[in-house]
Amino acid sequence: MSIQSCVEVRNEWDIVSARQLGRNMAKELGFGTVDQARITTAISELARNIYLYAGHGKVCIEAVEEMGKKGLKIIATDKGPGIRDIRKVMEDGYTTSGGLGAGLPGVKRLMDEFSIDSSVNVGTEIIATKWIR
Amino acid sequence: MRIPILKMHEYLLISIQVELDDQTALQFQEDLLKRIHDTGAKGVVIDLTSVDMIDSFIAKVLGDVVRMSKLMGAQVMLTGIQPAVAITLIDLGISMREVPTALDLEQGLDKLRLELEE
Amino acid sequence: MRNMINDISSNKRDVIAQKWKNELSTLKNLCISSKITPDMFEQLNEEFLDMMIRYINQNDIEKDQTLHRFFDKVLQLNMPLKFLTQGLQTFRRVILDVLLQEDVKKEKAIDIYQHVDRLIDPLLNEVVEESSLFWEKTVSAQKTALMELSAPVIPVLENITVMPLIGTIDTERAKLIMENLLDGVIKNRSLVVLIDITGVPVVDTMVAHHIIQAADAVRLLGATCILVGIRPEIAQTIISLGIDLSYFPTKSTLLKGIEHALEITNQQLLKK
C-alpha cells in the first residue's frame, strides 16, 4: 500500500507543478534541504525530458518503505518515440536538444537508485528512488 | 510573469524571488539583454538567495545570459546561491566555472566594482 | 506443576545454589577483567541466582523490569554475553536435575521439561535481543561521533575558514564534508576556504574528484577554495594519475595557504 500522486506533463507549466508536488512530498517525508533540492531537480529534469521529447506523459511520486528505510520514488512514463541508444543518453554531455546534456546521468547521480526502460516507438519509463539518510 | 530589473548607477540589480518556469527564465533573458542595451550598464548582479532549485535548463539559461551580457560589454555576477542548490548543480555535473559568483548582493557589488575599476 | 517447582526451589535452594556455583565457576576467569573484580563477580552471580529463583517462583518479576534491569547492568559492565546465556542454561540444567531427582513418572518428566523450557526460553531470547540492541546503540553512537569529528569547519581569520581533513574519504564522507563545508561558508561569511589534506593518507582519482567537486561547490556560493597540505608523494600521484587541479590554487602548507588567503581578502598580519 502506498500513496501515489501524479502530474500529467503536457506543457512547460506542468514541469513546475510536478516539481512542486515533489518538493512538498519530500518535505513531508522528512528529507533534509539538500535532498529536497536533489529530488525537486531530478523531477524537473525528468518532466522536462517528457515535455521535450515525448510531448506528453506523466510523473508520479510515491512514498516507499523497504527494510525499515523510508524513501521517495519517482516514476516518469511517456508513450513517446523511445530512446534508441540508452547507453548514449547516459553519457555526460550528450544532448540532442541543445541543452547541457546533464539530464539523465545527472538524475542518476541526484538519486540513489535509477532504472530506465525504453522501446522505440512505444515509450519510456524511468524509475528513480531516494532514501532518507 | 516578469522579473523586475532595477537600475543603480551603472549597474543592474535583479533579485529572483519566484519559482522559475521556462518561459519566465527565457523572458528574463530577453528583458535583461534589452535593458543592458538601453542603459549601457557595465555590471549586472543576479541574486539567487530565494531560489531553491536550479535544474539543467535554468542553469543553461543563466550561463547563456552571462555570456551574452559579456558580449554586450556587461559583467554579470551571480550571488546568493544556496548550499543545497550548489550541491545539486555539482551532482548534475554543472560547475559553471566561467560564471563569476559572490556570497550575497553586497559582496557581489563590491567584487564587480573591483573588477571593473581595474 | 507450578507448586512442585515452587516447593523444590525454596526447599532445596542450597542444593541449587551449590550446583549453580560449581558449574559457573569455569566462567569466572573469562569474566574477571580490569573492571570486574572477583568480589563483583560473586556478587553478580548471587544476584543472578536469587533473581532466577524468584523468577520461577512467581514468574512475574519480568513485569517489574527487574530482569531487564539486571541484563542491562551486566551488558553495561561489558561482561561477556556468555555469562548470561550460560547462566540461564546452567540454571535450566540445575533445576531439572533437582526436579528429576525425585522419583517421577515418564509423562511427568516430559511435563517438567516442557514447563521449565517455557520459563527459560523467553529469557534467553530477551538476553540475545537486549545485547544486540545494546551493541547497535553503541555502534550508532560511535558512528555519530565519528561523523561529527570527520569534517569540522574552523573560522581562523575574518572571512577565512579552514577545513582540515583527516583519514580516508569515501563517498558518504565526501557528501558530509561538502554539506559541512558549504554551511560553514554561509555561517562564517567566508571569502576563502582552505581545505587541508595533510591528514589524508591517499589521494586517488576518486578522492581528488570529491575534492574538486567540493571546491566547485564552494565557488558557486561565491567563495574561493584553496587546497593546502599537498605533500610531495601526493603531488606525484596527482600528476601521474592525470588529475587536473590547475583550476584551483594549491599550496604545500597551511601557512602558505593562509598567506595567499590574506592576499585575496586584502588583509595583512602585523607584528607588534
Side-chain angles (χ1 to χ4, degrees), chain C residues 98-125:
Chain C
V98 175
L99 283 171
L100 295 174
Q101 256 171 18
E102 318 273 313
D103 210 10
V104 288
K105 286 197 204 86
K106 198 172 147 200
E107 294 82 25
K108 186 81 182 161
I110 292 173
D111 251 14
I112 291 175
Y113 264 109
Q114 283 179 342
H115 187 77
V116 171
D117 272 353
R118 264 198 295 277
L119 281 175
I120 305 290
D121 282 348
L123 287 191
L124 273 168
N125 286 339

PDB file of all heavy atoms in Angstrom, chain C residues 98-125:
ATOM      1  N   VAL C  98      17.509 -31.199  39.846  1.00  0.00           N
ATOM      2  CA  VAL C  98      16.908 -31.261  41.179  1.00  0.00           C
ATOM      3  C   VAL C  98      15.482 -31.795  41.102  1.00  0.00           C
ATOM      4  O   VAL C  98      15.072 -32.625  41.913  1.00  0.00           O
ATOM      5  CB  VAL C  98      16.947 -29.867  41.842  1.00  0.00           C
ATOM      6  CG1 VAL C  98      16.222 -29.887  43.184  1.00  0.00           C
ATOM      7  CG2 VAL C  98      18.393 -29.429  42.027  1.00  0.00           C
ATOM      8  N   LEU C  99      14.742 -31.311  40.108  1.00  0.00           N
ATOM      9  CA  LEU C  99      13.347 -31.737  39.983  1.00  0.00           C
ATOM     10  C   LEU C  99      13.251 -33.225  39.688  1.00  0.00           C
ATOM     11  O   LEU C  99      12.387 -33.932  40.210  1.00  0.00           O
ATOM     12  CB  LEU C  99      12.647 -30.961  38.876  1.00  0.00           C
ATOM     13  CG  LEU C  99      12.217 -29.526  39.200  1.00  0.00           C
ATOM     14  CD1 LEU C  99      11.753 -28.823  37.944  1.00  0.00           C
ATOM     15  CD2 LEU C  99      11.141 -29.526  40.259  1.00  0.00           C
ATOM     16  N   LEU C 100      14.148 -33.701  38.805  1.00  0.00           N
ATOM     17  CA  LEU C 100      14.038 -35.080  38.362  1.00  0.00           C
ATOM     18  C   LEU C 100      14.667 -36.059  39.348  1.00  0.00           C
ATOM     19  O   LEU C 100      14.566 -37.271  39.173  1.00  0.00           O
ATOM     20  CB  LEU C 100      14.644 -35.241  36.962  1.00  0.00           C
ATOM     21  CG  LEU C 100      13.893 -34.465  35.884  1.00  0.00           C
ATOM     22  CD1 LEU C 100      14.609 -34.536  34.550  1.00  0.00           C
ATOM     23  CD2 LEU C 100      12.458 -34.981  35.740  1.00  0.00           C
ATOM     24  N   GLN C 101      15.349 -35.522  40.364  1.00  0.00           N
ATOM     25  CA  GLN C 101      15.892 -36.406  41.381  1.00  0.00           C
ATOM     26  C   GLN C 101      14.772 -37.110  42.132  1.00  0.00           C
ATOM     27  O   GLN C 101      14.894 -38.244  42.549  1.00  0.00           O
ATOM     28  CB  GLN C 101      16.742 -35.617  42.368  1.00  0.00           C
ATOM     29  CG  GLN C 101      18.223 -35.821  42.127  1.00  0.00           C
ATOM     30  CD  GLN C 101      19.032 -34.868  42.954  1.00  0.00           C
ATOM     31  OE1 GLN C 101      18.530 -34.296  43.923  1.00  0.00           O
ATOM     32  NE2 GLN C 101      20.281 -34.709  42.571  1.00  0.00           N
ATOM     33  N   GLU C 102      13.692 -36.385  42.287  1.00  0.00           N
ATOM     34  CA  GLU C 102      12.507 -37.007  42.868  1.00  0.00           C
ATOM     35  C   GLU C 102      12.076 -38.111  41.909  1.00  0.00           C
ATOM     36  O   GLU C 102      12.262 -37.993  40.702  1.00  0.00           O
ATOM     37  CB  GLU C 102      11.367 -35.983  42.968  1.00  0.00           C
ATOM     38  CG  GLU C 102      11.811 -34.616  43.433  1.00  0.00           C
ATOM     39  CD  GLU C 102      11.829 -34.516  44.941  1.00  0.00           C
ATOM     40  OE1 GLU C 102      10.842 -34.939  45.545  1.00  0.00           O
ATOM     41  OE2 GLU C 102      12.830 -34.023  45.500  1.00  0.00           O
ATOM     42  N   ASP C 103      11.486 -39.095  42.463  1.00  0.00           N
ATOM     43  CA  ASP C 103      11.082 -40.198  41.606  1.00  0.00           C
ATOM     44  C   ASP C 103       9.840 -39.796  40.823  1.00  0.00           C
ATOM     45  O   ASP C 103       8.768 -39.633  41.390  1.00  0.00           O
ATOM     46  CB  ASP C 103      10.791 -41.420  42.491  1.00  0.00           C
ATOM     47  CG  ASP C 103      11.086 -42.681  41.729  1.00  0.00           C
ATOM     48  OD1 ASP C 103      11.688 -42.562  40.632  1.00  0.00           O
ATOM     49  OD2 ASP C 103      10.730 -43.760  42.216  1.00  0.00           O
ATOM     50  N   VAL C 104      10.003 -39.584  39.516  1.00  0.00           N
ATOM     51  CA  VAL C 104       8.822 -39.165  38.747  1.00  0.00           C
ATOM     52  C   VAL C 104       8.589 -40.085  37.569  1.00  0.00           C
ATOM     53  O   VAL C 104       9.514 -40.699  37.030  1.00  0.00           O
ATOM     54  CB  VAL C 104       8.962 -37.716  38.229  1.00  0.00           C
ATOM     55  CG1 VAL C 104       8.826 -36.731  39.353  1.00  0.00           C
ATOM     56  CG2 VAL C 104      10.267 -37.550  37.482  1.00  0.00           C
ATOM     57  N   LYS C 105       7.322 -40.139  37.142  1.00  0.00           N
ATOM     58  CA  LYS C 105       6.968 -40.979  36.001  1.00  0.00           C
ATOM     59  C   LYS C 105       7.418 -40.282  34.718  1.00  0.00           C
ATOM     60  O   LYS C 105       7.679 -39.080  34.681  1.00  0.00           O
ATOM     61  CB  LYS C 105       5.447 -41.191  35.967  1.00  0.00           C
ATOM     62  CG  LYS C 105       4.953 -42.148  37.019  1.00  0.00           C
ATOM     63  CD  LYS C 105       3.539 -42.585  36.622  1.00  0.00           C
ATOM     64  CE  LYS C 105       2.772 -43.052  37.847  1.00  0.00           C
ATOM     65  NZ  LYS C 105       2.097 -41.972  38.578  1.00  0.00           N
ATOM     66  N   LYS C 106       7.439 -41.089  33.633  1.00  0.00           N
ATOM     67  CA  LYS C 106       7.928 -40.578  32.360  1.00  0.00           C
ATOM     68  C   LYS C 106       7.118 -39.371  31.881  1.00  0.00           C
ATOM     69  O   LYS C 106       7.666 -38.334  31.485  1.00  0.00           O
ATOM     70  CB  LYS C 106       7.849 -41.697  31.322  1.00  0.00           C
ATOM     71  CG  LYS C 106       8.704 -41.444  30.105  1.00  0.00           C
ATOM     72  CD  LYS C 106       8.723 -42.691  29.234  1.00  0.00           C
ATOM     73  CE  LYS C 106       8.813 -42.348  27.774  1.00  0.00           C
ATOM     74  NZ  LYS C 106       8.364 -43.450  26.920  1.00  0.00           N
ATOM     75  N   GLU C 107       5.771 -39.492  31.943  1.00  0.00           N
ATOM     76  CA  GLU C 107       4.915 -38.381  31.444  1.00  0.00           C
ATOM     77  C   GLU C 107       5.178 -37.119  32.249  1.00  0.00           C
ATOM     78  O   GLU C 107       5.272 -36.025  31.720  1.00  0.00           O
ATOM     79  CB  GLU C 107       3.419 -38.737  31.540  1.00  0.00           C
ATOM     80  CG  GLU C 107       2.959 -39.856  30.642  1.00  0.00           C
ATOM     81  CD  GLU C 107       3.261 -41.225  31.236  1.00  0.00           C
ATOM     82  OE1 GLU C 107       3.367 -41.317  32.470  1.00  0.00           O
ATOM     83  OE2 GLU C 107       3.421 -42.189  30.462  1.00  0.00           O
ATOM     84  N   LYS C 108       5.308 -37.370  33.535  1.00  0.00           N
ATOM     85  CA  LYS C 108       5.534 -36.242  34.432  1.00  0.00           C
ATOM     86  C   LYS C 108       6.855 -35.545  34.080  1.00  0.00           C
ATOM     87  O   LYS C 108       6.934 -34.314  34.028  1.00  0.00           O
ATOM     88  CB  LYS C 108       5.575 -36.776  35.866  1.00  0.00           C
ATOM     89  CG  LYS C 108       5.654 -35.717  36.916  1.00  0.00           C
ATOM     90  CD  LYS C 108       4.279 -35.125  37.208  1.00  0.00           C
ATOM     91  CE  LYS C 108       4.403 -34.017  38.251  1.00  0.00           C
ATOM     92  NZ  LYS C 108       3.231 -33.144  38.233  1.00  0.00           N
ATOM     93  N   ALA C 109       7.870 -36.394  33.787  1.00  0.00           N
ATOM     94  CA  ALA C 109       9.187 -35.837  33.460  1.00  0.00           C
ATOM     95  C   ALA C 109       9.112 -34.943  32.226  1.00  0.00           C
ATOM     96  O   ALA C 109       9.675 -33.844  32.182  1.00  0.00           O
ATOM     97  CB  ALA C 109      10.180 -36.963  33.237  1.00  0.00           C
ATOM     98  N   ILE C 110       8.387 -35.437  31.206  1.00  0.00           N
ATOM     99  CA  ILE C 110       8.249 -34.645  29.987  1.00  0.00           C
ATOM    100  C   ILE C 110       7.562 -33.316  30.289  1.00  0.00           C
ATOM    101  O   ILE C 110       7.973 -32.254  29.834  1.00  0.00           O
ATOM    102  CB  ILE C 110       7.460 -35.433  28.921  1.00  0.00           C
ATOM    103  CG1 ILE C 110       8.310 -36.616  28.455  1.00  0.00           C
ATOM    104  CG2 ILE C 110       7.094 -34.550  27.735  1.00  0.00           C
ATOM    105  CD1 ILE C 110       7.604 -37.561  27.550  1.00  0.00           C
ATOM    106  N   ASP C 111       6.558 -33.422  31.128  1.00  0.00           N
ATOM    107  CA  ASP C 111       5.845 -32.214  31.554  1.00  0.00           C
ATOM    108  C   ASP C 111       6.791 -31.206  32.200  1.00  0.00           C
ATOM    109  O   ASP C 111       6.750 -30.009  31.901  1.00  0.00           O
ATOM    110  CB  ASP C 111       4.776 -32.601  32.597  1.00  0.00           C
ATOM    111  CG  ASP C 111       3.391 -32.483  32.012  1.00  0.00           C
ATOM    112  OD1 ASP C 111       3.312 -32.366  30.770  1.00  0.00           O
ATOM    113  OD2 ASP C 111       2.416 -32.506  32.786  1.00  0.00           O
ATOM    114  N   ILE C 112       7.621 -31.747  33.065  1.00  0.00           N
ATOM    115  CA  ILE C 112       8.553 -30.859  33.778  1.00  0.00           C
ATOM    116  C   ILE C 112       9.496 -30.177  32.795  1.00  0.00           C
ATOM    117  O   ILE C 112       9.707 -28.961  32.836  1.00  0.00           O
ATOM    118  CB  ILE C 112       9.353 -31.655  34.834  1.00  0.00           C
ATOM    119  CG1 ILE C 112       8.410 -32.096  35.961  1.00  0.00           C
ATOM    120  CG2 ILE C 112      10.498 -30.824  35.394  1.00  0.00           C
ATOM    121  CD1 ILE C 112       9.051 -32.974  36.995  1.00  0.00           C
ATOM    122  N   TYR C 113      10.046 -30.980  31.885  1.00  0.00           N
ATOM    123  CA  TYR C 113      10.942 -30.432  30.862  1.00  0.00           C
ATOM    124  C   TYR C 113      10.289 -29.254  30.126  1.00  0.00           C
ATOM    125  O   TYR C 113      10.852 -28.181  29.991  1.00  0.00           O
ATOM    126  CB  TYR C 113      11.303 -31.521  29.833  1.00  0.00           C
ATOM    127  CG  TYR C 113      12.611 -32.200  30.130  1.00  0.00           C
ATOM    128  CD1 TYR C 113      12.657 -33.520  30.577  1.00  0.00           C
ATOM    129  CD2 TYR C 113      13.810 -31.523  29.935  1.00  0.00           C
ATOM    130  CE1 TYR C 113      13.857 -34.152  30.848  1.00  0.00           C
ATOM    131  CE2 TYR C 113      15.017 -32.149  30.202  1.00  0.00           C
ATOM    132  CZ  TYR C 113      15.036 -33.457  30.661  1.00  0.00           C
ATOM    133  OH  TYR C 113      16.220 -34.045  30.924  1.00  0.00           O
ATOM    134  N   GLN C 114       9.063 -29.566  29.670  1.00  0.00           N
ATOM    135  CA  GLN C 114       8.396 -28.545  28.863  1.00  0.00           C
ATOM    136  C   GLN C 114       8.133 -27.276  29.664  1.00  0.00           C
ATOM    137  O   GLN C 114       8.319 -26.166  29.184  1.00  0.00           O
ATOM    138  CB  GLN C 114       7.079 -29.092  28.310  1.00  0.00           C
ATOM    139  CG  GLN C 114       7.325 -30.020  27.131  1.00  0.00           C
ATOM    140  CD  GLN C 114       6.052 -30.597  26.587  1.00  0.00           C
ATOM    141  OE1 GLN C 114       5.023 -30.582  27.258  1.00  0.00           O
ATOM    142  NE2 GLN C 114       6.118 -31.110  25.372  1.00  0.00           N
ATOM    143  N   HIS C 115       7.727 -27.487  30.899  1.00  0.00           N
ATOM    144  CA  HIS C 115       7.406 -26.330  31.723  1.00  0.00           C
ATOM    145  C   HIS C 115       8.644 -25.446  31.947  1.00  0.00           C
ATOM    146  O   HIS C 115       8.599 -24.226  31.794  1.00  0.00           O
ATOM    147  CB  HIS C 115       6.834 -26.793  33.058  1.00  0.00           C
ATOM    148  CG  HIS C 115       6.328 -25.678  33.896  1.00  0.00           C
ATOM    149  ND1 HIS C 115       5.124 -25.076  33.650  1.00  0.00           N
ATOM    150  CD2 HIS C 115       6.871 -25.029  34.963  1.00  0.00           C
ATOM    151  CE1 HIS C 115       4.937 -24.099  34.523  1.00  0.00           C
ATOM    152  NE2 HIS C 115       5.979 -24.058  35.340  1.00  0.00           N
ATOM    153  N   VAL C 116       9.754 -26.117  32.260  1.00  0.00           N
ATOM    154  CA  VAL C 116      10.978 -25.356  32.522  1.00  0.00           C
ATOM    155  C   VAL C 116      11.438 -24.639  31.247  1.00  0.00           C
ATOM    156  O   VAL C 116      11.841 -23.475  31.284  1.00  0.00           O
ATOM    157  CB  VAL C 116      12.075 -26.280  33.083  1.00  0.00           C
ATOM    158  CG1 VAL C 116      13.419 -25.549  33.143  1.00  0.00           C
ATOM    159  CG2 VAL C 116      11.687 -26.778  34.460  1.00  0.00           C
ATOM    160  N   ASP C 117      11.318 -25.357  30.112  1.00  0.00           N
ATOM    161  CA  ASP C 117      11.693 -24.726  28.843  1.00  0.00           C
ATOM    162  C   ASP C 117      10.896 -23.463  28.604  1.00  0.00           C
ATOM    163  O   ASP C 117      11.428 -22.433  28.196  1.00  0.00           O
ATOM    164  CB  ASP C 117      11.450 -25.694  27.677  1.00  0.00           C
ATOM    165  CG  ASP C 117      12.668 -26.576  27.452  1.00  0.00           C
ATOM    166  OD1 ASP C 117      13.692 -26.307  28.122  1.00  0.00           O
ATOM    167  OD2 ASP C 117      12.589 -27.506  26.636  1.00  0.00           O
ATOM    168  N   ARG C 118       9.601 -23.582  28.857  1.00  0.00           N
ATOM    169  CA  ARG C 118       8.741 -22.420  28.615  1.00  0.00           C
ATOM    170  C   ARG C 118       9.110 -21.243  29.511  1.00  0.00           C
ATOM    171  O   ARG C 118       8.881 -20.102  29.180  1.00  0.00           O
ATOM    172  CB  ARG C 118       7.271 -22.799  28.821  1.00  0.00           C
ATOM    173  CG  ARG C 118       6.581 -23.156  27.513  1.00  0.00           C
ATOM    174  CD  ARG C 118       5.088 -23.107  27.654  1.00  0.00           C
ATOM    175  NE  ARG C 118       4.583 -24.126  28.575  1.00  0.00           N
ATOM    176  CZ  ARG C 118       4.356 -25.392  28.210  1.00  0.00           C
ATOM    177  NH1 ARG C 118       4.548 -25.781  26.977  1.00  0.00           N
ATOM    178  NH2 ARG C 118       3.906 -26.268  29.087  1.00  0.00           N
ATOM    179  N   LEU C 119       9.685 -21.572  30.660  1.00  0.00           N
ATOM    180  CA  LEU C 119      10.103 -20.482  31.549  1.00  0.00           C
ATOM    181  C   LEU C 119      11.415 -19.852  31.102  1.00  0.00           C
ATOM    182  O   LEU C 119      11.591 -18.639  31.146  1.00  0.00           O
ATOM    183  CB  LEU C 119      10.274 -21.021  32.983  1.00  0.00           C
ATOM    184  CG  LEU C 119       9.002 -21.216  33.790  1.00  0.00           C
ATOM    185  CD1 LEU C 119       9.331 -21.872  35.120  1.00  0.00           C
ATOM    186  CD2 LEU C 119       8.313 -19.881  34.026  1.00  0.00           C
ATOM    187  N   ILE C 120      12.350 -20.702  30.678  1.00  0.00           N
ATOM    188  CA  ILE C 120      13.707 -20.210  30.422  1.00  0.00           C
ATOM    189  C   ILE C 120      13.874 -19.631  29.016  1.00  0.00           C
ATOM    190  O   ILE C 120      14.551 -18.621  28.820  1.00  0.00           O
ATOM    191  CB  ILE C 120      14.756 -21.323  30.652  1.00  0.00           C
ATOM    192  CG1 ILE C 120      14.614 -21.902  32.060  1.00  0.00           C
ATOM    193  CG2 ILE C 120      16.162 -20.813  30.419  1.00  0.00           C
ATOM    194  CD1 ILE C 120      15.031 -20.994  33.179  1.00  0.00           C
ATOM    195  N   ASP C 121      13.239 -20.263  28.031  1.00  0.00           N
ATOM    196  CA  ASP C 121      13.462 -19.834  26.641  1.00  0.00           C
ATOM    197  C   ASP C 121      13.199 -18.344  26.383  1.00  0.00           C
ATOM    198  O   ASP C 121      14.015 -17.682  25.741  1.00  0.00           O
ATOM    199  CB  ASP C 121      12.645 -20.696  25.669  1.00  0.00           C
ATOM    200  CG  ASP C 121      13.316 -22.041  25.451  1.00  0.00           C
ATOM    201  OD1 ASP C 121      14.484 -22.177  25.861  1.00  0.00           O
ATOM    202  OD2 ASP C 121      12.679 -22.948  24.871  1.00  0.00           O
ATOM    203  N   PRO C 122      12.074 -17.810  26.870  1.00  0.00           N
ATOM    204  CA  PRO C 122      11.859 -16.377  26.619  1.00  0.00           C
ATOM    205  C   PRO C 122      12.979 -15.511  27.182  1.00  0.00           C
ATOM    206  O   PRO C 122      13.325 -14.492  26.600  1.00  0.00           O
ATOM    207  CB  PRO C 122      10.541 -16.076  27.358  1.00  0.00           C
ATOM    208  CG  PRO C 122       9.903 -17.371  27.626  1.00  0.00           C
ATOM    209  CD  PRO C 122      10.961 -18.418  27.623  1.00  0.00           C
ATOM    210  N   LEU C 123      13.542 -15.972  28.313  1.00  0.00           N
ATOM    211  CA  LEU C 123      14.639 -15.196  28.903  1.00  0.00           C
ATOM    212  C   LEU C 123      15.857 -15.193  27.992  1.00  0.00           C
ATOM    213  O   LEU C 123      16.497 -14.165  27.786  1.00  0.00           O
ATOM    214  CB  LEU C 123      15.034 -15.776  30.257  1.00  0.00           C
ATOM    215  CG  LEU C 123      14.070 -15.538  31.402  1.00  0.00           C
ATOM    216  CD1 LEU C 123      14.733 -15.939  32.708  1.00  0.00           C
ATOM    217  CD2 LEU C 123      13.655 -14.087  31.449  1.00  0.00           C
ATOM    218  N   LEU C 124      16.172 -16.370  27.432  1.00  0.00           N
ATOM    219  CA  LEU C 124      17.316 -16.448  26.514  1.00  0.00           C
ATOM    220  C   LEU C 124      17.114 -15.513  25.336  1.00  0.00           C
ATOM    221  O   LEU C 124      18.014 -14.773  24.947  1.00  0.00           O
ATOM    222  CB  LEU C 124      17.478 -17.886  26.011  1.00  0.00           C
ATOM    223  CG  LEU C 124      18.328 -18.786  26.909  1.00  0.00           C
ATOM    224  CD1 LEU C 124      18.191 -20.234  26.489  1.00  0.00           C
ATOM    225  CD2 LEU C 124      19.786 -18.354  26.855  1.00  0.00           C
ATOM    226  N   ASN C 125      15.880 -15.550  24.805  1.00  0.00           N
ATOM    227  CA  ASN C 125      15.587 -14.652  23.687  1.00  0.00           C
ATOM    228  C   ASN C 125      15.795 -13.204  24.093  1.00  0.00           C
ATOM    229  O   ASN C 125      16.385 -12.414  23.352  1.00  0.00           O
ATOM    230  CB  ASN C 125      14.132 -14.827  23.229  1.00  0.00           C
ATOM    231  CG  ASN C 125      13.950 -16.118  22.470  1.00  0.00           C
ATOM    232  OD1 ASN C 125      14.931 -16.675  21.965  1.00  0.00           O
ATOM    233  ND2 ASN C 125      12.731 -16.602  22.404  1.00  0.00           N
TER     234      ASN C 125
END
